[in-house]
Amino acid sequence: MYSLHEGSGLLLLALLAGLQIVAEGRGTPPCRLGFSEDVYKVVVPDMTERGQPLFNVRFVDCGRGDLVRFECSNPSDFRIEADGVVYAARSIQHSKLPASPLLIKASDTTTQQQWVTQVKLTHSAHSSQQVQEGAVPPVMSKDLKEISFPSRNMDSQLKRMKRDWVIPPINVPENSRGPFPQELVRIRSDHDKNRSLRYSVTGPGADQPPTGIFIIDPISGELSVNKPLDREHIANFHLRAHAVDLNGNQVENPIDIVINVIDMNDNRPEFTHQIWNGTVPEGSKPGTFAMTVTSVDKDDPKTANGMLRYKILSQNPESPTSNMFTINNKTGGIITVAAGLDREKVPQYTLIIQATDMEGNPMYGLSNTATAVIRVTDINDNPPEFTAETFFGEVPENRVNVIVANLSVTDKDQPNTPAWNAVYKITGGDPTGRFSVPTDPTTNEGLVTVVKPIDYEISRTYVLTVEARNEVPLARGIHSPRQSTATVSIRVIDVNESPYFEPNPKLIKLEEGMMPESTLTTFTAQDPDRFMQQSIRYSKLSDPANWLRIDPNTGRISTIAVLDRESPFVKNSLYNATFLATDSGVQPASGTGTLQIFLLDINDNAPKVFPLEAEICEKPEPNAINITALDGDLNPNAGPFAFELAHRPLDVKRNWTITRISGDYAQMSLKIGFLESGIYEVPIIITDSGNLPMSNTSYLRIKVCQCDINGDCTDQQHIMAAGLGTGAIISILLCIIILLILVLMFVVWMKRRDKERQAKQLLIDPEDDVRDNILKYDEEGGGEEDQDYDLSQLQQPDTIEHDAIKPVGIRRLDERPLHPEPQYPMRSAAPHPGDIGDFINEGLKAADNDPTAPPYDSLLVFDYEGSGSTAGSLSSLNSSSSGGDQDYDYLNDWGPRFRKLADMYGGSDD
């Protein structure tokens, strides 16, 4: 019997997991399915808690473990897992242990074969110690179960074993409080009876990371755990046990040991989100899904430690009831359980959700909480209602796109949603569709707008019936109240409207040629303002040909010129004139009307030949010119036309002949065998077909030329074809000759004028001579055309070489005698940028003080013009010699410059 001491707990489960040794040899029996024991005797503590492991039953499944299922005869108190570990399904006291043995049944799901074993439960004589969360009682080493290596054939150590041992896993609770090291199992070999062996274990947790968790006594073979285990960190360990002699020689094949860490309830549930958000429509029926919350537990989900249960701890607000929602305790789904959700009253609910492990056991399970926020979404359960029963507005007539009134509504639904947005519809009072009511997207108001002109003279007021709805229909069972309909009273304001002509345009038909001051028609306008006493005056706005006049009071239209259908202002026999009608309102209004005059054609235009010019060869063949006539009139005042050659000059009919081809065309040809090349103007009499026919003599300009074999004029004649005849060429040549003669005469006149000017220079009166003055002109350059002197001599007078200018010994008779030159101020060779006036003033002072200077009335010589002057000396003018034989009256004809000479020498002896 396996004694389960008080507090030994799960550790003894490993001791009960005995190892079935399959003998090795040639007569090894086959594997037998079934429990390792027919009857198990287990001692349990006086007090067991729910979820506490009690014992382990071993079942030999021969490799078919996945197909074997375990069942317990008392599932209300005990439950068995797939690994054979039996747990307490509830808290059990020793006084309540069942008297009859506990039956454990194993079933093969494939073959339906069953095996049954019995478990007799007794309570421990010692006082039980309460197993707390995360704590495991110690295990006494004296109760350790031995694990033996399989026996080997010593004579054939290298022979491979036919079958390995099947070692059940060792279950070790996590979070044990020691003392440590804590023995788990003893490993031994049958060879330790005759020699000393050394035992060791390898693998993760022993000699591999994490190292030092499991240790083994090399002599006794006791395997111990050295520290508390954490299933959430490592759920199981796979070790390998070894047995060697003192020389290190292997005496046994290594055996595998699996150590499972038994889960303890040491982790609380954790929600994946601390705050959960969900929605549910208002007015939802019970059972409507709202949201799902989720929590996770790091403990083993296959045990009660990781099995979670949910519940709602609180609801805020508790309206209309405190239990508006319920939660599925396993899945975390939240649904409604009561009716009465109204967003307008309670827009949001806050639930505190609790998740508890140990299948929701409030005493032993660990719990955690989260917040679920459920927002009640809006549905259209509130219709829009007008804030007033009647709205008022006014609008001037003939105005469009004008807002007349603003209709305001209230809606309890959520703003700016389809259930709140209002849509307005006119249901009465507007049969002609002159109004519309769009919605203001910001204020949700209805804007009563005029979309068609309103006439005050037709209707002075409008009473509209407007209905307000939402963009989405109302929820089922909700009906529109009376407040969803309102009345809009609109007053129309009378304004001064423009007069209008009727009909417009007005069409009249008249014959062209109507004389001035003829009355055509009366074109009057109507004033739509029937309730205003106003008069209308008329005026002309557009009359392109200036043919018409309108009476400002009566609108009577008469002519002031002859109407001509062929005028360029007439298009397709239609003449348009526009007139203006203006009323006498405070703010005058005006309107326009168009008068269309359709002018009927009369025969007032004579036909003309077309084309005006043509070519023909000197010889008759090929010799023909097709001509027609142009007539500004319309049929029947135009074609057909009659063509005839004029009687004069006489050679026309002698040289030419005309033949009628059709009503509108005729053919001209030479009548004689040869006609000299040249330009001929042939008169043709053309008569139209009007009621009173009109005739006209047109001249056809025909060029007779030499032709090639194709009947075309030659190149020389093509030059004449440009329109230049012999007379024209002669005229051009004469013009050129006359132009050349004029140019030649102008050149001769210019040369003669220059000679006369040179002869008159010495006869100029000194008072009229301006060459010694500095004149200012408002242009570049300056001075008279006879002012011909070099200014550089004024800038640098010292550079003048008098001897180089005129040769020695050559001197004019009237020249002053040579004297020592005065010391005039000298100027530097480099030009000074200053004003030349200073230099001239200094020279003037020096000349005034010069004793050799001539008197003021003497003749000053500025430059020497050379000898042999044709003018001779003028010194005789001052002499006392008589000039009576000379007639100086001609000096009066020479102008004002010679007036003094004429006075001195001309006239009588007085």
Side-chain angles (χ1 to χ4, degrees):
M1 180 182 71
Y2 303 103
S3 176
L4 185 62
H5 292 278
E6 177 183 7
S8 60
L10 296 177
L11 186 57
L12 291 182
L13 297 179
L15 303 179
L16 294 177
L19 301 177
Q20 179 180 3
I21 303 176
V22 180
E24 178 184 16
R26 297 179 180 177
T28 302
C31 179
R32 183 178 64 87
L33 292 171
F35 289 99
S36 61
E37 302 288 343
D38 293 334
V39 178
Y40 292 90
K41 293 182 180 180
V42 179
V43 178
V44 298
D46 293 339
M47 184 65 181
T48 58
E49 296 180 356
R50 180 180 179 180
Q52 179 179 348
L54 300 179
F55 58 91
N56 182 12
V57 293
R58 180 175 178 272
F59 184 82
V60 181
D61 56 11
C62 297
R64 303 178 62 184
D66 294 340
L67 303 176
V68 179
R69 298 292 181 265
F70 296 101
E71 295 182 9
C72 178
S73 62
N74 189 4
S76 60
D77 295 333
F78 305 95
R79 60 182 176 85
I80 184 170
E81 297 293 339
D83 56 358
V85 179
V86 178
Y87 295 87
R90 61 183 181 88
S91 300
I92 304 176
Q93 298 180 359
H94 69 87
S95 59
K96 297 181 181 180
L97 289 175
S100 59
L102 181 66
L103 299 180
I104 304 296
K105 180 175 68 174
S107 302
D108 191 328
T109 57
T110 304
T111 62
Q112 305 300 324
Q113 185 179 359
Q114 297 183 352
W115 300 267
V116 180
T117 185
Q118 297 182 3
V119 180
K120 294 183 179 180
L121 302 174
T122 59
H123 66 276
S124 174
H126 302 282
S127 60
S128 63
Q129 180 181 0
Q130 183 71 26
V131 180
Q132 298 181 359
E133 175 186 330
V136 177
V139 179
M140 302 302 295
S141 62
K142 65 179 180 179
D143 296 323
L144 289 179
K145 178 63 179 177
E146 291 184 355
I147 298 178
S148 300
F149 286 91
S151 59
R152 296 175 58 94
N153 188 350
M154 300 303 297
D155 297 334
S156 57
Q157 295 183 358
L158 299 177
K159 184 178 181 180
R160 189 176 185 274
M161 294 180 61
K162 294 182 179 180
R163 185 174 181 83
D164 292 334
W165 283 84
V166 179
I167 308 298
I170 301 173
N171 297 322
V172 180
E174 65 172 334
N175 301 326
S176 175
R177 293 189 297 178
F180 296 102
Q182 180 177 334
E183 294 81 2
L184 299 180
V185 69
R186 180 180 293 111
I187 299 175
R188 62 174 296 275
S189 173
D190 293 340
H191 296 282
D192 64 351
K193 296 178 181 179
N194 51 16
R195 53 179 169 171
S196 298
L197 300 180
R198 295 294 181 266
Y199 300 97
S200 63
V201 290
T202 59
D207 62 340
Q208 299 178 15
T211 59
I213 296 179
F214 298 99
I215 59 175
I216 188 172
D217 191 316
I219 299 176
S220 64
E222 291 183 357
L223 179 64
S224 304
V225 60
N226 204 32
K227 59 180 67 175
L229 303 180
D230 187 359
R231 189 201 68 83
E232 288 73 37
H233 184 219
I234 300 178
N236 52 66
F237 296 87
H238 294 267
L239 304 179
R240 174 164 285 194
H242 307 269
V244 297
D245 57 15
L246 295 179
N247 295 325
N249 299 319
Q250 180 177 324
V251 297
E252 299 284 0
N253 287 331
I255 59 174
D256 294 328
I257 300 175
V258 178
I259 300 176
N260 289 334
V261 182
I262 302 302
D263 183 46
M264 301 298 292
N265 191 19
D266 60 341
N267 290 279
R268 293 180 179 274
E270 296 290 341
F271 284 93
T272 55
H273 301 287
Q274 195 59 35
I275 298 179
W276 297 79
N277 294 289
T279 59
V280 61
E282 63 175 330
S284 298
K285 296 181 180 180
T288 303
F289 175 79
M291 61 186 302
T292 299
V293 296
T294 304
S295 180
V296 295
D297 196 318
K298 295 181 181 179
D299 292 326
D300 190 357
K302 297 180 180 179
T303 66
N305 298 332
M307 295 181 181
L308 306 181
R309 298 294 182 266
Y310 301 93
K311 72 175 182 178
I312 298 176
L313 296 182
S314 64
Q315 169 190 309
N316 183 34
E318 297 180 354
S319 175
T321 65
S322 59
N323 295 317
M324 294 296 294
F325 303 92
T326 185
I327 187 170
N328 188 310
N329 63 346
K330 292 183 179 181
T331 64
I334 300 176
I335 60 175
T336 60
V337 293
L341 290 175
D342 190 350
R343 189 202 66 83
E344 288 72 36
K345 295 181 179 179
V346 181
Q348 179 177 291
Y349 289 91
T350 302
L351 308 179
I352 304 300
I353 309 298
Q354 183 185 58
T356 307
D357 57 15
M358 298 300 292
E359 298 179 312
N361 189 319
M363 182 177 297
Y364 305 109
L366 302 178
S367 62
N368 211 337
T369 60
T371 302
V373 178
I374 301 177
R375 183 171 56 88
V376 182
T377 59
D378 187 38
I379 64 173
N380 193 15
D381 57 345
N382 293 281
E385 298 180 359
F386 285 99
T387 57
E389 293 184 0
T390 304
F391 295 88
F392 299 92
E394 60 182 20
V395 59
E397 63 174 333
N398 300 322
R399 296 283 298 277
V400 294
N401 298 325
V402 177
I403 298 176
V404 179
N406 291 25
L407 311 182
S408 57
V409 296
T410 59
D411 196 319
K412 297 180 181 179
D413 292 321
Q414 186 174 358
N416 300 316
T417 61
W420 179 81
N421 296 334
V423 177
Y424 300 89
K425 180 181 179 181
I426 299 175
T427 59
D430 185 24
T432 57
R434 299 185 180 277
F435 299 91
S436 68
V437 188
T439 303
D440 189 325
T442 303
T443 62
N444 207 31
E445 293 181 344
L447 308 178
V448 181
T449 308
V450 180
V451 296
K452 293 183 181 180
I454 301 174
D455 192 352
Y456 174 83
E457 285 71 28
I458 297 177
S459 179
R460 301 184 183 184
T461 59
Y462 287 87
V463 179
L464 309 180
T465 302
V466 181
E467 181 183 10
R469 297 181 181 179
N470 294 120
E471 292 181 353
V472 295
L474 292 172
R476 181 176 300 178
I478 306 298
H479 302 284
S480 297
R482 182 179 60 84
Q483 290 80 2
S484 296
T485 302
T487 301
V488 182
S489 179
I490 302 173
R491 184 175 66 90
V492 182
I493 301 174
D494 189 18
V495 297
N496 186 18
E497 299 177 78
S498 300
Y500 63 92
F501 288 87
E502 187 68 28
N504 190 15
K506 183 176 182 179
L507 177 64
I508 61 174
K509 294 183 178 181
L510 299 171
E511 282 190 354
E512 64 172 329
M514 183 171 290
M515 301 306 294
E517 302 302 330
S518 301
T519 300
L520 301 183
T521 184
T522 300
F523 196 21
T524 59
Q526 307 293 327
D527 192 349
D529 298 315
R530 295 178 298 168
F531 303 100
M532 297 182 182
Q533 301 299 327
Q534 298 179 143
S535 60
I536 299 177
R537 293 187 62 83
Y538 303 94
S539 60
K540 186 170 61 173
L541 185 62
S542 173
D543 183 12
N546 197 23
W547 288 344
L548 307 177
R549 179 176 58 228
I550 187 170
D551 188 285
N553 298 317
T554 63
R556 183 172 60 86
I557 299 175
S558 58
T559 62
I560 57 177
V562 178
L563 306 184
D564 185 7
R565 192 197 66 83
E566 289 74 32
S567 170
F569 301 103
V570 178
K571 305 298 181 182
N572 298 324
S573 302
L574 203 63
Y575 180 75
N576 293 322
T578 306
F579 298 93
L580 184 70
T582 307
D583 61 21
S584 59
V586 178
Q587 293 182 350
S590 60
T592 60
T594 301
L595 178 65
Q596 294 182 336
I597 304 176
F598 187 84
L599 295 176
L600 302 176
D601 186 40
I602 62 175
N603 193 14
D604 57 346
N605 291 278
K608 298 179 182 179
V609 70
F610 183 83
L612 297 177
E613 297 180 355
E615 292 181 357
I616 195 169
C617 296
E618 293 177 340
K619 297 182 180 180
E621 288 100 7
N623 245 353
I625 302 173
N626 292 331
I627 61 173
T628 185
L630 298 179
D631 195 328
D633 296 324
L634 301 177
N635 291 328
N637 296 321
F641 301 100
F643 299 90
E644 181 185 3
L645 293 174
H647 300 282
R648 293 183 181 277
L650 298 177
D651 58 349
V652 173
K653 288 190 175 183
R654 183 177 63 250
N655 297 336
W656 305 94
T657 181
I658 186 168
T659 305
R660 182 174 181 180
I661 300 177
S662 64
D664 295 331
Y665 291 91
Q667 191 175 72
M668 286 282 297
S669 60
L670 280 174
K671 188 175 182 180
I672 60 179
F674 177 81
L675 185 62
E676 184 181 358
S677 299
I679 303 298
Y680 297 89
E681 291 186 356
V682 180
I684 301 174
I685 301 174
I686 306 176
T687 305
D688 60 21
S689 300
N691 189 12
L692 295 176
M694 293 191 68
S695 298
N696 180 38
T697 301
S698 298
Y699 287 87
L700 176 62
R701 195 162 180 259
I702 301 177
K703 182 185 68 173
V704 179
C705 60
Q706 297 178 0
C707 299
D708 54 16
I709 58 176
N710 298 322
D712 298 328
C713 290
T714 59
D715 294 340
Q716 182 178 0
Q717 298 299 326
H718 275 297
I719 298 176
M720 296 177 61
L724 296 178
T726 305
I729 295 175
I730 295 174
S731 300
I732 293 175
L733 292 177
L734 290 176
C735 291
I736 294 175
I737 293 173
I738 294 174
L739 181 61
L740 292 176
I741 293 174
L742 292 176
V743 172
L744 182 61
M745 292 176 63
F746 178 77
V747 172
V748 173
W749 176 79
M750 288 295 295
K751 288 183 175 294
R752 183 177 179 182
R753 181 174 177 271
D754 291 339
K755 291 181 178 180
E756 293 177 354
R757 184 176 57 184
Q758 292 177 2
K760 296 176 182 179
Q761 284 181 351
L762 296 178
L763 301 178
I764 298 176
D765 188 82
E767 295 180 2
D768 297 330
D769 190 4
V770 295
R771 289 178 296 173
D772 56 342
N773 296 327
I774 298 179
L775 303 179
K776 178 175 178 3
Y777 291 89
D778 291 335
E779 59 183 8
E780 289 192 21
E784 300 287 335
E785 18 182 51
D786 59 344
Q787 199 169 355
D788 187 15
Y789 49 83
D790 187 10
L791 291 178
S792 62
Q793 298 179 7
L794 296 176
Q795 296 177 352
Q796 298 179 356
D798 56 313
T799 60
I800 300 176
E801 298 180 2
H802 300 281
D803 295 337
I805 295 176
K806 49 189 177 180
V808 179
I810 300 176
R811 189 174 305 275
R812 290 173 53 175
L813 297 177
D814 56 344
E815 186 177 358
R816 67 180 179 178
L818 294 176
H819 297 283
E821 295 292 334
Q823 298 299 320
Y824 291 95
M826 302 299 294
R827 193 172 183 181
S828 61
H832 193 276
D835 194 351
I836 197 173
D838 296 337
F839 175 79
I840 296 176
N841 292 330
E842 294 178 1
L844 180 61
K845 293 179 181 179
D848 293 339
N849 298 326
D850 185 7
T852 62
Y856 290 108
D857 56 352
S858 65
L859 180 64
L860 300 179
V861 179
F862 291 92
D863 195 5
Y864 179 70
E865 297 182 358
S867 60
S869 175
T870 57
S873 177
L874 297 179
S875 60
S876 59
L877 296 178
N878 295 327
S879 66
S880 60
S881 61
S882 174
D885 298 336
Q886 181 70 26
D887 186 8
Y888 295 99
D889 290 338
Y890 64 90
L891 294 177
N892 292 320
D893 300 332
W894 286 14
R897 297 189 178 222
F898 298 92
R899 186 172 301 156
K900 289 188 177 182
L901 290 177
D903 295 340
M904 294 172 60
Y905 295 95
S908 61
D909 294 338
D910 297 335

